[in-house]
Structure formats: C-alpha cells, structure tokens
Amino acid sequence: MTKILVADDDREIAELLEIYIKNEGYESVIAYDGHEALSKLHTNPDIGLVILDIMMPELNGLEVVKEIRKDSQVPVLILSAKTSDMDKIQGLITGADDYVTKPFNPLEIMARVKSLLRRSDNRVQDITPDVLNVGSLIINKDSHEVKTVSGERIALTALEFGILYLLASHPNRVFSADDIFERVWQQESVVSAKTVMVHVSHLRDKIEEATNGDQVIQTVWGVGYKIERR
C-alpha cells in the first residue's frame, strides 16, 4: 500500500487530506512541521509521495524540499496559501513536482496525487536495470525470463512475471492486492484480492520449488505483498 506523507501545521487540513487519502486506498503519514516531516520521511522509506505546506514552523516547506532532493526523487506536491506566480515558480524550481494553492478541492488534490504516482512509477520502470538480482533469482526484464543463480529457468506466466517484476523493482514497498491488480492486469480493481492471492501463491510455489525454499515474496498481513532488499 502506497504511503503518502502530509506535512501541514494546519491540523484541520491534514485531517481532511487524511480522510481522502484513506478513501483512495492509500496510507497516510502526518507531520505538523518541517523537521517532523523529514523525520517521518527518513523513518518511512516506502513513502511514495509528499504533500507539503510551505509556511510551517521549525523548517519551511521550501527548505524541506531542498533537503528531500539531496537524496530522494520522491514526488512532492506543494499545497500553499502563497498564490503569486513567483511563489509557484520558486516552489517548482526548488524541486517540487506540482503546486496547488489554498483553498483547494480535495478531489483535485487526489487526482494530482494519482497522476504524480503514475509518473513516478513510469520513471522507476525507465531507470530500472534490465536485469534484477533478488535473493537467489535473476530476473531479466527484456526477455521475461527468471532463472536461479545456478542457472535453472523458472517458467512463469505473463501475469506471474508481472507480479514478480513489480515487487522486485520496488524493493521494500508493500503493494496491496488492488495495487497489483491495477498495475499488472492494467484494469480497474474489481474483487481482485482473491485473484491476486491465487497468482501470488502459484508464483511462490514455483520459486520455492526451484530455489529449495527461498521465500522471496513476503506477505504483510492485512496490507499486501513485498520483496525486501537484500
């Protein structure tokens, strides 16, 4: 499940956004000042997007963006009462990916969030190496082949490969069944949990049989699935 960090010293705005974030199936992480935002980001490496106010105590939003951009390309959406064109330009130049002024429509915010997450996923796929090494597996993106380190080929269906590659190319990130269904099947999720569970089960059986029990895919109970970086 994708985590979204909301950093805003206005608790009403943070709580409102949290409701919409959860309604869209994401997990929210809340911070009320700039230092807390950076701390939450560092302790939650699987955060997939940041919604950030500019005028916060301790450390303002632009300073937070500068710190984030020193070692991360996580998408950042600035949400601010500063409405001039120069404010918007400054925010984007500093490193934000989008800028929305207050007052705002929460539905517009969520539409922008989804757009930024799609762009981020595409960017990750573009820079992901053609060959991934995950535990005892070698995953070839171009040939759709999976082999063990000893050279044994594991025969996977297209959907099984899609699930494995999605998880392997986003190490430590937990994907819900709905996330997996929408990205691998490329359809809107409709009663997908059982379908995904069956495919993950078959995928695990094949991997464990070929690798003498290597449990590459982990279940995060009540949330989804992940592959940890090793």
Side-chain angles (χ1 to χ4, degrees):
M1 181 182 295
T2 301
K3 289 183 180 179
I4 296 176
L5 171 62
V6 178
D8 197 313
D9 62 324
D10 187 324
R11 291 176 181 266
E12 289 187 3
I13 287 178
E15 290 169 2
L16 175 65
L17 289 172
E18 184 175 27
I19 291 170
Y20 279 84
I21 287 168
K22 289 181 177 179
N23 285 343
E24 291 293 339
Y26 304 119
E27 181 178 346
S28 62
V29 178
I30 306 298
Y32 298 110
D33 63 60
H35 285 308
E36 186 182 9
L38 290 175
S39 176
K40 292 284 181 70
L41 189 60
H42 291 151
T43 56
N44 293 271
D46 53 343
I47 283 174
L49 184 139
V50 178
I51 300 175
L52 188 65
D53 184 28
I54 289 183
M55 295 182 290
M56 292 188 296
E58 304 294 335
L59 196 67
N60 71 52
L62 294 180
E63 292 298 323
V64 173
V65 174
K66 289 178 184 177
E67 289 298 315
I68 290 174
R69 287 294 175 252
K70 288 181 179 179
D71 58 12
S72 173
Q73 292 302 311
V74 64
V76 175
L77 187 158
I78 286 180
L79 186 61
S80 176
K82 297 170 76 74
T83 61
S84 76
D85 288 342
M86 285 308 300
D87 289 324
K88 297 175 186 178
I89 291 169
Q90 183 63 44
L92 296 172
I93 289 176
T94 302
D97 297 278
D98 202 353
Y99 192 113
V100 178
T101 59
K102 300 176 181 178
F104 60 89
N105 183 330
L107 295 176
E108 179 190 356
I109 296 298
M110 295 316 303
R112 290 175 181 266
V113 163
K114 291 178 180 179
S115 176
L116 288 172
L117 288 172
R118 284 195 300 270
R119 282 159 47 188
S120 178
D121 281 345
N122 290 337
R123 183 167 59 195
V124 169
Q125 291 174 11
D126 289 342
I127 64 176
T128 300
D130 291 339
V131 178
L132 296 173
N133 292 279
V134 179
S136 56
L137 300 179
I138 301 171
I139 305 168
N140 191 304
K141 174 183 176 182
D142 291 333
S143 65
H144 275 225
E145 284 188 334
V146 179
K147 296 181 179 179
T148 66
V149 291
S150 62
E152 179 182 351
R153 184 175 177 273
I154 304 175
L156 302 180
T157 67
L159 291 174
E160 289 166 353
F161 182 89
I163 294 169
L164 179 61
Y165 186 80
L166 173 68
L167 299 177
S169 59
H170 297 80
N172 301 324
R173 177 172 168 182
V174 181
F175 286 87
S176 69
D178 287 343
D179 290 335
I180 293 172
F181 192 88
E182 289 177 2
R183 286 170 170 78
V184 176
W185 275 255
Q186 296 186 343
Q187 300 175 23
E188 284 293 325
S189 174
V190 180
V191 195
S192 60
K194 187 173 181 180
T195 300
V196 172
M197 182 178 66
V198 169
H199 281 80
V200 170
S201 178
H202 291 165
L203 175 59
R204 276 180 169 150
D205 289 345
K206 292 179 180 181
I207 292 173
E208 291 178 16
E209 181 179 355
T211 61
N212 295 318
D214 190 2
Q215 296 182 352
V216 173
I217 299 174
Q218 298 185 17
T219 298
V220 180
W221 294 106
V223 183
Y225 305 95
K226 70 175 180 177
I227 291 178
E228 288 193 344
R229 192 189 305 274
R230 300 186 185 183

